[in-house]
C-alpha cells in the first residue's frame, strides 16, 4: 500500500500536476487509509474489536490483507483462557523494555549471550523460546498468524515463572542487559503479529 501511494504521487507529478508538499501529502493519504481500515475491520463481515485492530495496525499496515489476518488471529485466540495471561506477560515485558530504552539502559547493538543466563528460570525461558521460535517463524512465513500466535502463547508458564523468580533490572550491567535482550527477542517475535500491549485486558 505504501509503495502504491508513493507511485501515485509520482505519477501526479509526472503528469504535470503540482504537488507542493510530497511528505505532507504522503502522511495524509497514509493516515486516511489507516482510518479506513480501522473502520472497515470493525464492521461486517469482520466485526473485530477496536483494540484488536489497533494492536495489528500498530506494527504496520502496508500489506492490507496480512494486517486483517493478524487482527483476526488476535480475535480468534482472545477467548482462550491462556490468552489474557500471555498478553499481560507481554505488556509487562514491553513496559520493562520501554523504561530501559528511556533510561538508555539498552543499546541497539546489544546481543543475547546464552552463557550469561545464570538463573534456572531464565535458562528455562530461553530454551522454551528457542524451541518454539522455529515453528512460529514457519507459520509466520506462511501467513498463518493464528498458529504462530498459538505457539507463542505456549510460553505463558515460562514467562510467568521468569517474572516470579528473576529480577531484570539489577546492578550488574551485563546481567541486566542480557535479561533485557531475552525479553526483547521474545517481544520481537510477538511484534511480527501485533503489539498486544495495546489490548485492553481485565488485569490492566
Amino acid at each position: 500500500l505504501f509503495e502504491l501511494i508513493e507511485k501515485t504521487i509520482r505519477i501526479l507529478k509526472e503528469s504535470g500536476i503540482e504537488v507542493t508538499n510530497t511528505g505532507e501529502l504522503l502522511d495524509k493519504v497514509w493516515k486516511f487509509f489507516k482510518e479506513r481500515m480501522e473502520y472497515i475491520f470493525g464492521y461486517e463481515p469482520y466485526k473485530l474489536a477496536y483494540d484488536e485492530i489497533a494492536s495489528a495496525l500498530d506494527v504496520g499496515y502496508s500489506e492490507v490483507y496480512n494486517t486483517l489476518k493478524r487482527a483476526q488471529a488476535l480475535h480468534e485466540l482472545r477467548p482462550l483462557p491462556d490468552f489474557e495471561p500471555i498478553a499481560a506477560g507481554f505488556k509487562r515485558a514491553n513496559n520493562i523494555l520501554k523504561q530501559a530504552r528511556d533510561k538508555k539502559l539498552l543499546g541497539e547493538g546489544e546481543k543475547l549471550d546464552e552463557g550469561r543466563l545464570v538463573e534456572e528460570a531464565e535458562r528455562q525461558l530461553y530454551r522454551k523460546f528457542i524451541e518454539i521460535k522455529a515453528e512460529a517463524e514457519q507459520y509466520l512465513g506462511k501467513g498463518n498468524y493464528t498458529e504462530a500466535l498459538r505457539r507463542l502463547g505456549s510460553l505463558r508458564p515460562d514467562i510467568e515463572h521468569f517474572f516470579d523468580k528473576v529480577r531484570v533490572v539489577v546492578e550488574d550491567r551485563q546481567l541486566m542487559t542480557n535479561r533485557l535482550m531475552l525479553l526483547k527477542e521474545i517481544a520481537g517475535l510477538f511484534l511480527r503479529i501485533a503489539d498486544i500491549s495495546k489490548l485492553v485486558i481485565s488485569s490492566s
Side-chain angles (χ1 to χ4, degrees):
L1 177 62
F2 194 78
E3 290 172 6
L4 286 173
I5 296 169
E6 284 187 316
K7 185 174 182 179
T8 303
I9 293 173
R10 189 165 66 249
I11 291 170
L12 286 174
K13 288 181 172 182
E14 290 169 355
S15 301
I17 298 171
E18 185 179 355
V19 179
T20 55
N21 192 326
T22 302
E24 185 180 336
L25 177 59
L26 185 62
D27 288 343
K28 284 182 177 180
V29 178
W30 189 232
K31 183 181 177 184
F32 168 79
F33 275 104
K34 181 182 181 183
E35 290 171 349
R36 294 309 300 157
M37 279 183 259
E38 286 172 336
Y39 180 83
I40 292 166
F41 293 172
Y43 288 88
E44 293 285 359
Y46 312 114
K47 298 184 73 174
L48 301 174
Y50 76 95
D51 56 345
E52 295 162 356
I53 299 167
S55 297
L57 288 172
D58 197 69
V59 300
Y61 53 92
S62 192
E63 295 182 353
V64 179
Y65 181 55
N66 274 337
T67 306
L68 173 62
K69 288 201 297 180
R70 290 189 282 106
Q72 287 175 321
L74 292 177
H75 184 76
E76 184 176 340
L77 296 184
R78 194 173 192 174
L80 299 181
D82 279 349
F83 189 82
E84 279 211 356
I86 195 68
F90 176 86
K91 187 171 284 193
R92 184 174 178 182
N94 210 45
N95 287 339
I96 291 171
L97 289 167
K98 184 179 184 303
Q99 289 168 12
R101 290 189 190 99
D102 290 345
K103 293 177 181 178
K104 304 292 191 286
L105 298 176
L106 190 60
E108 290 302 317
E110 307 287 358
K111 292 188 181 297
L112 175 63
D113 182 352
E114 184 182 356
R116 288 203 176 105
L117 299 171
V118 296
E119 300 288 343
E120 178 54 32
E122 60 185 334
R123 289 199 298 265
Q124 180 180 320
L125 174 58
Y126 177 75
R127 286 194 299 266
K128 182 65 174 180
F129 172 66
I130 293 301
E131 178 187 319
I132 65 97
K133 182 181 179 182
E135 294 177 36
E137 286 185 332
Q138 281 188 334
Y139 285 122
L140 287 170
K142 296 174 183 175
N144 189 339
Y145 301 107
T146 301
E147 285 307 315
L149 195 56
R150 200 185 299 276
R151 293 303 298 139
L152 288 171
S154 68
L155 285 170
R156 173 202 168 179
D158 302 287
I159 289 176
E160 289 180 343
H161 186 57
F162 173 84
F163 281 129
D164 284 343
K165 300 296 182 181
V166 177
R167 186 180 170 195
V168 177
V169 181
V170 292
E171 288 187 14
D172 187 321
R173 185 63 181 257
Q174 289 185 329
L175 204 59
M176 177 184 67
T177 298
N178 212 48
R179 289 171 180 171
L180 289 169
M181 288 306 302
L182 176 58
L183 294 180
K184 186 180 178 182
E185 289 274 331
I186 295 168
L189 208 49
F190 276 97
L191 288 168
R192 289 176 63 182
I193 302 169
D195 181 356
I196 59 177
S197 68
K198 303 291 185 196
L199 292 176
V200 178
I201 57 176
S202 58
S203 57
S204 296

